[in-house]
Amino acid sequence: MGLERISFHTTQALHSIAATREIEQAAASHLPAHTLMQRAGLSAARLVCAIAPHARVIWIACGAGNNGGDGLEAAMHLRMWGRDAVVTWAGDDANCPPDALASLHRARDAGVLFADAPPVHWDAAIDALLGIGASRAPEGEMVEWLALIHESGKPVLQVDVPSGFCADTGQWLPDAIHSIAARADSMPANGQFDSKKYTLSLLTLKPGLFTAHGRDACGEIWFDDLGISHAVNDPQAWLLGEREMLASPRMHASHKGSYGDVAVIGGASGMQGAALLAARAALHAGAGRVFVGLLGGGMVVDPMQPELMFRDVASLDLAGKTVVCGCGGGEEVRRVLPRVLSSSERLVLDADALNAIATDESLQTLLKARAAKNLLTILTPHPLEAARLLGSSTAEVQAHRLFAAQTLADRFACTVILKGSGSIIASSGVAPSINPTGDARLATAGTGDVLAGICGAFLAQSGADALLAAQRATWVHGALVGEATTSQVVPASELIKRISQR
């Protein structure tokens, strides 16, 4: 495969740190010593030249371990290619791992300049301080070097992961250097994320690069498998790709009944807008018919979307419909949840429906019983709602997003979309997936209601595949913001207008 930019066109396997180590050890057992580090260093050198083609002075900040060895190997190549490679090295010969020591000698023999302090003037940098094996955040002079790198505004290539970052979880390591994490994640004054930050993931792609703080910390992500092929039938997770998420074209010989009925139940007094957003989204996402049962009443027609059909909640027939329940439901949603949980063949639960279930064991029992009756369920919690369902804290959910989503899916035998940066889609018995689309412009009121509505429409059309419906809905929802051209949020109502354009 070689060096490639991750562009999210196809679904790709994501491997944990432990699995990556196993792949590395298996490959090293039948390759000549030092081969993988040589390949990693060459790849890093090639990439830094590609992202900073006019850079003359390249500063390589190297740690004491094998991540530093990759940087030393890169420095050797850069020197051989006529670049001024300046290395600051946090190690020493006596304690250097064998592969890194070999690269150290190669760098010295090539005439690489080693310095006690970063060069005064430099054009690009390589962060090769700490890799995936780090258990502690950078300390001492490493902190100073990283501060210079992240505050410079110059191109920086991070080898395997940003130093101090956990490739499994997408979080900074415990006792993280908060000042560095803040600098690495910050948005510049022009409102655009730093386009000069790059991460080269080696041997495998790791899940933490794409969820939680991963996208902010990593910037543009590249990958090199180092020429090692490995089985992908047992990854920790999958990174969703556009090719697999595209919907099949509609058949000419079809009618509105071919695309399912969706019933949206929510919208307590003062919160009808949430239910209307979900209903409009379901209609624009392709549902054949959309019914609306407002818990707060007060509407018989939506003048902005007259296609929606309003019904009294008590008399709303749920048979054969995909139900989206909870958007703006308030406390009033509790009284309808027993019927919704027991009667809905296909169900999307969001917002206040999730909050009600989190505090009511009888509702939890009804939710768990749905799978035994072959009833399909998708939960769409944000981290706080997930924490309530799990009896934990938002911080705990965010610290282990893959685990939290999978735990919810297994506990309630359903499909779960844990929203946030790199939304996690989990279902019982399969590896979870991470959605790469969307950005912070979705961080505004109502966008979650839009996602619930899209889920309802896709679930109504998907037959018995709740997981695929959830994956497709999450992908499309994120893709609605388009390419990042502004720091302004995209209002939920604007998202709805874009759905049918895809």
Side-chain angles (χ1 to χ4, degrees):
M1 181 180 296
L3 187 62
E4 65 166 334
R5 179 179 177 271
I6 300 303
S7 55
F8 314 125
H9 288 316
T10 61
T11 295
Q12 301 195 60
L14 304 175
H15 291 275
S16 66
I17 294 173
T20 301
R21 290 298 190 210
E22 292 178 4
I23 294 168
E24 181 181 29
Q25 291 168 6
S29 67
H30 66 266
L31 288 172
H34 197 229
T35 297
L36 291 178
M37 186 167 289
Q38 288 182 10
R39 293 177 182 178
L42 176 59
S43 185
R46 289 173 56 204
L47 183 53
V48 79
C49 289
I51 64 179
H54 303 296
R56 296 303 307 167
V57 179
I58 300 175
W59 168 30
I60 306 98
C62 296
N66 284 330
N67 192 253
D70 294 340
L72 292 167
E73 188 72 22
M76 183 271 294
H77 287 290
L78 293 170
R79 175 61 179 166
M80 297 289 288
W81 298 340
R83 305 295 180 104
D84 293 332
V86 181
V87 168
T88 54
W89 184 46
D92 62 81
D93 294 41
N95 298 302
C96 194
D99 278 353
L101 185 61
S103 289
L104 175 66
H105 291 321
R106 283 159 61 88
R108 286 172 173 166
D109 292 345
V112 169
L113 174 62
F114 283 74
D116 295 328
V120 176
H121 301 290
W122 49 278
D123 305 306
I126 296 177
D127 168 11
L129 290 168
L130 295 175
I132 62 173
S135 58
R136 293 189 304 173
E139 299 173 335
E141 61 186 358
M142 287 189 184
V143 176
E144 299 175 8
W145 296 350
L146 288 168
L148 287 173
I149 287 172
H150 288 298
E151 291 177 344
S152 69
K154 298 174 182 178
V156 53
L157 173 60
Q158 302 167 128
V159 178
D160 224 4
V161 290
S163 289
F165 190 77
C166 179
D168 276 346
T169 66
Q171 297 291 336
W172 296 98
L173 293 174
D175 302 319
I177 34 159
H178 298 296
S179 58
I180 298 301
R183 291 180 178 110
D185 282 355
S186 63
M187 180 182 284
N190 64 5
Q192 299 296 311
F193 284 111
D194 189 352
S195 61
K196 296 182 179 179
K197 192 178 346 183
Y198 306 82
T199 297
L200 172 59
S201 188
L202 297 168
L203 201 59
T204 67
L205 286 171
K206 293 87 177 174
L209 307 184
F210 303 98
T211 194
H213 293 287
R215 297 293 297 279
D216 290 334
C218 295
E220 187 174 288
I221 299 173
W222 288 69
F223 174 54
D224 194 330
D225 63 4
L226 304 183
I228 305 301
S229 60
H230 48 79
V232 296
N233 57 347
D234 192 26
Q236 184 184 10
W238 295 93
L239 180 67
L240 295 181
E242 182 177 25
R243 183 179 302 169
E244 292 78 10
M245 294 298 102
L246 293 177
S248 301
R250 290 192 170 206
M251 299 290 290
H252 284 282
S254 62
H255 52 82
K256 62 178 179 288
S258 306
Y259 302 105
D261 292 346
V262 173
V264 176
I265 299 176
S269 179
M271 296 185 287
Q272 287 95 337
L276 292 179
L277 287 170
R280 293 174 183 175
L283 188 68
H284 284 262
R289 297 187 299 177
V290 179
F291 298 83
V292 183
L294 293 177
L295 297 169
M299 291 185 70
V300 295
V301 66
D302 178 2
M304 299 295 294
Q305 200 75 72
E307 299 90 343
L308 302 179
M309 293 174 281
F310 288 78
R311 298 289 187 271
D312 177 72
V313 175
S315 61
L316 179 57
D317 183 9
L318 304 184
K321 296 181 177 65
T322 298
V323 178
V324 177
C325 183
C327 301
E331 282 296 313
E332 296 177 44
V333 77
R334 290 180 183 273
R335 63 181 170 87
V336 301
L337 273 172
R339 181 167 76 99
V340 167
L341 289 166
S342 301
S343 306
S344 306
E345 182 179 342
R346 296 172 297 276
L347 177 60
V348 178
L349 293 169
D350 186 45
D352 290 320
L354 300 175
N355 292 330
I357 291 168
T359 59
D360 190 323
E361 291 187 5
S362 64
L363 294 178
Q364 292 175 27
T365 299
L366 289 174
L367 175 56
K368 293 175 184 177
R370 288 180 54 80
K373 297 186 288 185
N374 295 318
L375 303 178
L376 304 180
T377 312
I378 298 176
L379 312 184
T380 60
H382 57 52
L384 177 56
E385 291 159 351
R388 289 168 179 158
L389 288 166
L390 291 168
S392 62
S393 68
T394 303
E396 290 172 316
V397 168
Q398 290 294 78
H400 300 282
R401 285 174 54 79
L402 285 165
F403 175 78
Q406 193 64 56
T407 300
L408 276 176
D410 293 340
R411 180 174 298 180
F412 295 112
C414 61
T415 297
V416 173
I417 302 172
L418 177 57
K419 295 181 285 195
S421 178
S423 292
I424 310 296
I425 304 95
S427 195
S428 185
V430 298
S433 51
I434 299 177
N435 178 60
T437 63
D439 56 40
R441 290 174 294 164
L442 289 172
T444 185
T447 57
D449 303 312
V450 173
L451 174 60
I454 299 173
C455 279
F458 287 0
L459 185 58
Q461 300 169 63
S462 71
D465 199 336
L467 177 59
L468 179 59
Q471 290 172 332
R472 282 190 56 224
T474 310
W475 174 279
V476 168
H477 179 256
L480 294 176
V481 296
E483 295 297 323
T485 58
T486 174
S487 62
Q488 298 299 311
V489 299
V490 180
S493 56
E494 176 63 27
L495 291 179
I496 293 171
K497 297 175 186 177
R498 301 180 181 186
I499 296 172
S500 55
Q501 299 171 7
R502 292 194 55 80

